[in-house]
Amino acid sequence: MSSASGDVEVEDGKLEEVSLSETTQDFQDAQTNGDARTNGHDHDHRQETAPYTPQISSPKLPVDSVPISAVKALQSQQVSKRNSTSTLNTTLSTSTTSSRPLPPIQLITPTLKMISASREAKRSPALRDAVAHALELVEAGTTAEKPREIFEPLRLACETGSEKLMVTSLDCISKLVSYAFFVDPDSSSTPNPAAYASPPGSPTASTANGLPTSLADLVTHTITNAYTESTPDAVSLQIVKALLQVVLSPHTLVHHSSLLRAVRTVYNIFLLSPSPVTQNVAQGGLTQMVHHIFGRAAEGDAENAAAGQAQLASSQMPHSAAQSTFSLTTPTTAEQAPGTPFRRDSDLPDGKGEVDEDVAKAAAIQLPADTEDELEEAEERPQTPQAIRNPHTFTTHDLFIKDAFLVFRALCKLTMKPLPPEAERDLKSHPMRSKLLSLHLVLTILSTHMPLFTSPTALIHSSSNGGEATLFVQAVKQYLCLSLSRNAVSAVLQVFEASVEIFWLVLKGMRRSLKREIEVLFSEIFIPILEMRTSTPAQKLVLVSSMLQRLCQDPQALVEIYLNYDCDAAAVENVYERLVGVVSKQAGAHTTAAPAKSASTAGTVGDIHSPTRPGSARAGQNQHAIPPSLTTSALSDPAAAAGDAAGVPGKERKLQIQSLECLVYVLRSLNAWKDAAQAKSTGATASGNLTPSGSAQGQATNGSLSASLSADSAHNQNGGGGTSRSSFGGEDGRTDLTLGRTSNVSGGGGSVDLRAGSISGPAGSSTPVERDGPIEDNPDRFESERMRKMTMAEGIRLFNTKQKKGIQYFLDKGILANMDRQTIARFLMHTDGLSKAAIGEYLGEGHDENVAIMHAFVDMMEFKNMSFTDALRTFLQAFRLPGESQKIDRYMLKFADRYMSTNEQTPFANATTAYVLAYSTIMLNTDAHNPQVKRRMTLQDFIKNNRGINDDADLPEEILSGIYDEIQNNEIRMKDEVEAQVGVIQPAVGLANVLVNVGRDFQREAYLAQSSGMATRTEALFKTMMRAQRRGRANEHFFSASHFVHVRPMFEVAWMSFLAGISGPLQSTDNLEIVELCLDGFKHAIRIASFFDMELERNAFVTTLAKFTFLNNLGEMKAKNMEAIKALLDVALSEGDHLKGSWREVLMCVSQLEHMQLIGSASVHDSQKGRSKRLPAEELANESRSTHITVSADMVFSLSNQLSGSAIVDFVQALSDVSWEEIQSSGLSENPRLFSIRKLVEICYYNMNRIRLEWVNIWSILGEHFNQVCCHSNAHVSNFALDALRQLAVRFLEKEELPSFKFQKDFLKPFQYTMVHNNNPESRDLVLQCLQQMIQARAHNLRSGWRTMFAVFSSASKALNESIATYAFDIVTMVNRDHFTAVVHHGSFADLTVCVADFCKVSKFQRISLIATSMLRELVPQMLKCPECGFDNPPSRQGEVLKADDPMIRYWFPMLFSFVDIILNGEDLEVRRVALESFFGNLKTHGEDFPPEFWDIVCKELIFPIFAVLKSGPLDMSRFASQEDMSVWISTTMIQALRDTIDLWTFHFTILERFLDGLLDLLRSFICQENDTLARIGTSCLQQLLQNNASKLSPQLWQRVITTFVWLFKTTTPYQLLDERLRTEVEETTESTASIESEPNKGTLLPAPLSPAMTGSHDSGNMANPIVRKRIFALIITKCVLQLLLIETTHELLQSADVYENIPPEHLLRLMAVLDDSYQFARGFNANKEVRNGLWKVGFMRHPPNLLKQESSSAATLVHVLLRIASDRRPEHAADREEASTRLTLLGVTIIGDFNQLKPDVQGRNITAWSPVVAEVLQGFSVFDDKIFHMYLPALYPLAVELLVKDISPEIRTALRAVLLRISPGV
């Protein structure tokens, strides 16, 4: 018996192989050798000659042909039911014929004789004469020359209506056709384009009786006219056989309208025949006809492809998918409605088919007649280039192409016939079967002959337009798209299934030609159906399983959809992004739990589909796809009804599963594309441009995706759509596309061959390139376009919420060029996506700018020749009218103005009339359609309201009445609002309404309403699109993808949808099949995100997957969580090189897994939280210890040596973080978790052979981690870490370190860190033990590690525990004793000295510090003796800079630096003293061997820094615990260091004279201190330096010395005494007094550098501050003191004969000048009583201040030096003696004169101070030579005599006596 679907007949376990051509022989009369006849009903049985068997280009029907098997199965039933009709029994007989068939002449004669003997021949003279004439021709043997005369009796017999004659005649005709008998001898081999117009409306009728002149057309006409609605089945079968023979004949060719008549007749036989057998035969015949028609066109196209391409290239024909136009110059033959059979000749269309008009009416599409189409196309068609307009030579192939087009167009129009409501529920109705048949025939054509549609050489040439050519695909696409727009919204599941299949084929093979059409279908139909609540789960299921799953498995199609829609700014919809989002919502939707099913059928949808499902014939994957049986018996199959009755929850569940599969397929396809395209790019040319996938290099082999996904294809054949774990690749997460789901059509689209790395396109071969030439796949360009589109979308979103900000955003982004009102108005008018309400609000604002834009906006509208209401409707469609009355008023004013300006002939007197009427119309619209209005406005009310508005006159009532009626019947509403209301059907409330609504399917009604709107919108878009393409405005390029980088943005835009779609089911289900599907999606997603280094996306997927392991909640763990653990481990093993920061989640799960494995069956108490943890089920605990999980977890660590250099760093960082988290969470317990730190040690062993460069990065992380762990408060943790660190260090020390590498130093750093930061003595002792063991075991391998070890020992010296310090010092002593040479050799001598110096600075353990000091001193001779130091053979030194490897730098400098370090930082006074003594002692002893360059370093970096505290002052307390400590250090160490420095300079003056400036600067710092102790020491040392080295100083050095004195005198001169601001009285506050009293004790010796310009940095306001003023007063006093110290020092120096005799005269005079300045300043201040009294009044001193001491001391020094110069007889002073005498006399006169003014009673102190000076002046004057003496005697004598009246001191008397005695002899 036949199967449920009618596919094949199973008999004895074997498929019966029968072709249609063989079956037709069963319908012939039984042939015998004789001429016997039955009595009027039986056919003659005669021997046949072997007929000519034509080589038909179309293949026979496949083995599983539905119609053939049905014929064989139902044949016996048909015979038994019609026993009374022996003719049919004979016709359907299956008896075999004789072995030798009859020749043609023997076939004709019996038939003619039978006709001649019939009663009909006797009644019809025409028939009788025709038969007689034909028999005469037969007897004469001239039948071949006159086939028309032979055919005439057969034609007339078919018109008799006799069943017997018709069967016999038709049978004879079919046989003669097979013998090529009806080939017209007058026909030419070359087709005549005039005879074959495009297409001829009907066969050419030029004979008297109106029959066609062409014999082939005549034959076809005769056969088709033999069928009527009442034709018996036997005749119908013969008609099918004859027409099939005619169409398939390679000799008797029928074209165009004749061909359409043949197809239409068989089509009607299928619809109207009551017999399933006949229906099956008719359907099979139609299928084979269609295959033949398209097969011969495709074959001819393949043969002429090369020639056609050359012709296109030479003529430069614009045949791109965007520019081709469709033109047929003659009317076409139309088809009747599917449910209406075609009638006889009177019903045939003749040019302007009445059926086309019927199609237009029924389909509700404004389809003009073909003639009108031609006129419209002629107007819109662009001019054809001259090369193309040349006359075209028509070929048979051109006719074949046009035949295919006509048939396809006819079928598409048949599919567009609307179904009556009753037919939608009855699958056996004629309209339904007609629609299903036409849809499946279209599907068959597309699935089998897609190359014809995509061929660039398949052209339709116009015979009336100079041979203008149109691509085949461009000619058919409008009909195909309109068909889809009608049927893809059908609520009938079978129609919807077929439409989805057709769309998939269009998308698969024609997407490059139908770019915009596919976008429309996606955005307007298929995606909305997935999103609509009113669409049924069955529809969504069909859409997902039949189209989306295939699309998701096609990487090429996916990427190209993304590039051409999501990355196209002109595309409104982001198709890829929206598809993934919709599928994700379906996959994550909550559904009611479905009944349990087997895993193999969990995800299938086959059990809910009817036998008409297009995929029912896909399993065989034969050469030609065969439509399912559409007979009335097959459509009433019980299995179909059972499938349709499947529960909604089950369908929803299957929809969710298949949506989930789609998401996983997308991820897998992205991975496949990435892998294949990347592999291809690695082999690309050096130019970097990838060959488009359509090139020959990109062709796929049999291993491509469409051919390699065999496993899942077999699964589909078995009826299952579910997915097992094996179908999604291995457990390692790698893509295995050889196990995916196969494409369901022959010649499938893009595919990826992972083995060859190739990318293939449709037809399993290659991706078609652009017809205008390949367009470069530039990822940057696509990304730029995508960003532009996103920018536009963001601007639209912003505008729709905040209009002004949106406009500004468009301006900022350059979308709007400027704020010109025309520019903005045009933008608002033509930009899709802008909210109409937002536009209305923006344009309605009252600002001048908005009003101007609104006016420009309205001026862009065209109201010419429109009625008033139509214009108003058009106006209100552009925006949503705001609710504010003022805004409405502005709109209406502008509307009225625009309407009046564009329409001259109006009934309105002026624009005011139009304005008032527009306002009134809007009010009427609101009143009539607002449900809240109780009382409606009547017509009379409306007329009354508008009286007198037409310039005080009334408008005609018919106008107002027309407006009223139109508004009442058709509300003015925006299209968006109308569409939003479509489908909203709410059941009415109330008991009566409930009873009425019983049985209504509101969901279906809502869907029908919505689908109608969708179809209307889609058709309107298609018509607009076609019109634009005809005008040549469309220029859409379809981009072929080739770059793998497209995967990144594709994943970026959809990763959240992927995550939501695969995580939702994983969380909600326990079905392991679905779980594995979700986990496979996670693997692919992580692989993509990891490969492209998408951190956010990778972390999101890995974190989510880690959470699904439930390792942190063991009590809730299920089997699916174990699978998640396995998946996570697989990800770690496969994607380790790219996980980066996500390693942390993986390793945390591994750590938790290990914790789970350790948990026993008993309850484990949580000590931290005080409660018992829930344990996992026993089987899960055992599963966690399984070999698979254990080995995988171990491989994560053992295979770490295979990670890349950067990946191992990320791995180590993550493991360190996990380790620290483990320790932190369990560190307080007695047995803390140390799993991860153990693994850290293990991976170090595994990766020991990595290069040093990688290890440096690794250890930078490990070192920090060991620093943390080794300092943990838990001794168990820290000791474990230290021991692990020791083991690693020993292993590292086994590898020899080359010179100049420092890795040993780095990996030993954690020991140093632990010693510093871990205060646990046990841990510190363990550190020292580890280092001691390493020294004992690996000292010979230590290189840079010595440095870190000495740093550890230095840190140990600061330990508070004496045992630690002693232990460390003992190790240092041992190293110094046993390994000194090795330490020096490996460059760690400096570290040794620093280490010993640190022990010297230990204050709490004096014994250790003293021993260390002694060791440090002994290092000097030890160093000098060591041959490694190289002092025996010093290197040659060239230049002024010592090299880093010079022995002086490597050894002497660290040695001396250690002494300086102790001097500066040593806390013990004795240690500092010894260090100071050793430092300067070594400099004195060995300094003569030092090169000058080294002395430079010693002075600048060692000696002078000792005194740095002098410049920083008391604020620098970094080295001292308190100011007292600083004072002690200064008084004991620093002062002694200064003295030793002066002594060193004296000792090595010849060497160190070059550094005299530095020393003088140091002395200046000492002298310029507020602390007079330091200043006195400084002056003392300066005096000592000059006195000891006076004879060694050169004139240049003296100049520097005198310059220093000059600077000191100027710096210490108290100029601030003369500042008027200091004499301003201020009120002293309590705060200032407290601040002054809080000054530090002056008894401490602290450095306080002077600030010479201190007062200059304060403004008048600060001067008024008492605190600032007191500070300045103290500074002035300090300067006065320092000035006196300098004068005293100068006086003492100049009294030294050595100094005076060696100082050059010019420098001596410079010194005298500054002394004179000091004297004059003091004299002037003392004489200014006003200043002195002012300072006294403001509290400067308790009495008026004076500078008596400074004045007298400086004067005395001046007098002394001048007297000495005047009496100096050395030649170098000869020139200065007279000048000195003159200056002395003038100075003396001034001094004596001032002295005479002093009053003894009040100025006794002044007299006492000046008396020695006056005495010295007189004494010096008395010894002048006569010339000078007598020269100045007149000036001096009166002053000297004046002294005689005073009570003068004895010393003055003595000096005066000498002067007078010198005068006496001359008197």
Side-chain angles (χ1 to χ4, degrees), residues 59-62 64-67 283-284 286-288 290-291 439-450 501 505 613-628 744-747:
K60 298 179 180 181
L61 285 177
D64 57 352
S65 172
V66 175
Q283 184 180 354
L286 272 176
T287 303
Q288 191 155 355
V290 166
H291 279 308
L439 282 173
H440 284 294
L441 287 175
V442 171
L443 176 61
T444 301
I445 293 170
L446 292 176
S447 63
T448 309
H449 304 287
M450 183 60 71
E501 288 286 342
L505 295 176
R613 185 168 188 262
S616 60
R618 293 200 306 261
Q621 291 297 306
N622 296 311
Q623 183 179 2
H624 296 294
I626 301 303
N744 293 320
V745 295
S746 176

Side-chain angles (χ1 to χ4, degrees), residues 1159-1165 1173 1175:
I1159 294 178
S1161 58
S1163 176
V1164 177
H1165 186 72
K1173 293 182 178 179
L1175 300 180

